[in-house]
Amino acid sequence: MLKNLKIGSKFNLILMLVFLISIFVSGIALSRVLDQRAQNEVTSQALILIKTMNSVRSYTQNHINALLAPRLATEAAFIPETVPAYSATEVFENLRKNEEYQNFLYKEATLNPTNLRDKADNFEAKIVERFRQDSKIQEISGFRDFPDGKVFYIARPLAIKQQNCLQCHSTPDQAPKSLLASYGTENGFGWKLNEIIAAQIISVPSEDVFTNAKQTWNLIMGLLVAIFAIVVLLINFLIKKTVIQRIRKIEKVAQQVSTGDMSVDFAEKSHDEIGGLAAAFNRMKSSLEIAMNLLNQQSQ
């Protein structure tokens, strides 16, 4: 089938194949780059927030807790501000009052929490169990579906690192009475030193980021298709102008010569390969004309 195609058709076919392959490869490469960029963006947001929450936890543990701990034994009501998890959660809830952060989530998902709002759901409990089973895992990240859309999450293990934390979480007998009065004796006990008891999880909405990446991909691919199409049309035009039309002229003259018309010439002013071909045909025509004249003289 290809043998029956004209040179122009073959050139067009090759150009179309190059065009399609280039667009396909460019689309895949661009999609991967934009997806990676979008994931880096949401990861960066999550890491900034998790570092901020860790700063709140550290400040609460080292300053607020040290300042208010002596009052726990005398106060009738427990002071939750002495708990790093409580402070971090409250600070983040205040942050979520800003419209741009209202879909962000922070949770110190705990298997056996004192405050039941920190209770890990099934998904979070599996993350905590992974941390407990393999202490080498220091971070788990991925995507999770919520009713409001897909979110990107980063989870890190939380372990009991300080002995004074066990004052409230070892046994009800050792816990402050104000803690028992506020939260009861059923939850948040039996913890051990260096035991992983929770996962610190930051969830960042990713739908908008990946939607923007997709829109950017569509825009860039549209521009690439337009640019490639213009380049293909330009190349096609130049090939027809500088190659195919000149070859057609040589072909037409050759057809005339083959029927005995020696009055025509292979007129080519260029000195490129096609010009050289035309000059060779002119020499061949002259040689043929001389040979034919000699044959005519001999026959006469």
Side-chain angles (χ1 to χ4, degrees):
M1 181 177 179
L2 291 176
K3 293 181 179 180
N4 298 326
L5 291 177
K6 294 184 177 180
I7 293 178
S9 300
K10 290 180 179 179
F11 270 120
N12 287 331
L13 181 60
I14 293 172
L15 287 174
M16 287 302 299
L17 287 174
V18 171
F19 172 76
L20 293 175
I21 292 172
S22 300
I23 291 297
F24 179 75
V25 174
S26 299
I28 292 177
L30 181 62
S31 177
R32 290 181 178 177
V33 169
L34 291 176
D35 283 346
Q36 187 61 49
R37 180 180 176 184
Q39 184 162 337
N40 289 342
E41 182 177 341
V42 294
T43 301
S44 177
Q45 292 177 332
L47 289 175
I48 290 173
L49 290 173
I50 206 167
K51 288 178 181 178
T52 302
M53 293 303 100
N54 283 336
S55 296
V56 174
R57 287 176 53 85
S58 178
Y59 181 80
T60 302
Q61 181 67 41
N62 297 327
H63 297 279
I64 305 300
N65 185 276
L67 182 66
L68 298 179
R71 296 174 50 185
L72 293 178
T74 58
E75 293 285 341
F78 183 70
I79 305 174
E81 286 76 14
T82 60
V83 182
Y86 180 89
S87 297
T89 303
E90 289 298 311
V91 168
F92 198 86
E93 287 302 312
N94 284 331
L95 177 67
R96 292 185 66 222
K97 292 178 182 179
N98 297 304
E99 185 176 355
E100 59 183 311
Y101 291 103
Q102 63 182 358
N103 292 325
F104 288 63
L105 299 173
Y106 175 79
K107 186 175 181 180
E108 297 191 12
T110 311
L111 297 178
N112 180 26
T114 301
N115 190 336
L116 292 180
R117 77 172 178 179
D118 299 326
K119 180 71 174 179
D121 60 26
N122 291 334
F123 181 86
E124 296 160 347
K126 291 179 181 178
I127 294 177
V128 178
E129 287 298 337
R130 283 188 62 187
F131 286 135
R132 290 165 68 94
Q133 292 171 8
D134 188 351
S135 60
K136 294 181 180 179
I137 299 177
Q138 293 301 309
E139 183 175 290
I140 296 174
S141 62
F143 292 90
R144 182 181 181 184
D145 291 322
F146 277 105
D148 295 332
K150 182 177 290 187
V151 301
F152 175 79
Y153 71 88
I154 290 180
R156 292 180 176 178
L158 287 176
I160 300 297
K161 295 296 185 181
Q162 297 182 358
Q163 185 67 39
N164 59 358
C165 292
L166 296 179
Q167 178 184 358
C168 297
H169 297 288
S170 56
T171 61
D173 296 339
Q174 297 183 10
K177 292 182 179 180
S178 56
L179 174 72
L180 302 179
S182 298
Y183 297 105
T185 60
E186 298 297 325
N187 302 303
F189 298 104
W191 297 4
K192 298 177 181 179
L193 191 64
N194 297 321
E195 179 186 25
I196 295 175
I197 47 87
Q200 186 184 32
I201 303 175
I202 283 279
S203 300
V204 178
S206 58
E207 289 283 354
D208 291 342
V209 177
F210 281 93
T211 298
N212 291 336
K214 186 175 181 180
Q215 291 175 349
T216 302
W217 184 87
N218 291 334
L219 176 61
I220 295 177
M221 288 304 299
L223 291 174
L224 285 177
V225 169
I227 292 171
F228 273 118
I230 293 172
V231 170
V232 168
L233 291 175
L234 182 60
I235 292 175
N236 188 54
F237 171 77
L238 292 174
I239 288 175
K240 284 184 177 180
K241 193 73 175 177
T242 60
V243 178
I244 296 176
Q245 289 181 0
R246 294 167 65 192
I247 291 177
R248 284 176 179 171
K249 288 181 180 179
I250 294 175
E251 179 193 14
K252 184 177 180 181
V253 173
Q255 292 286 353
Q256 290 176 284
V257 170
S258 68
T259 58
D261 185 1
M262 296 297 175
S263 62
V264 293
D265 285 321
F266 295 93
E268 266 291 337
K269 297 179 181 180
S270 299
H271 300 287
D272 56 10
E273 288 82 354
I274 296 178
L277 178 64
F281 273 126
N282 277 325
R283 289 192 298 270
M284 184 174 65
K285 182 177 79 72
S286 298
S287 299
L288 179 62
E289 189 174 4
I290 293 171
M292 290 179 67
N293 290 333
L294 289 173
L295 286 175
N296 289 331
Q297 290 176 2
Q298 291 176 358
S299 62
Q300 289 176 359

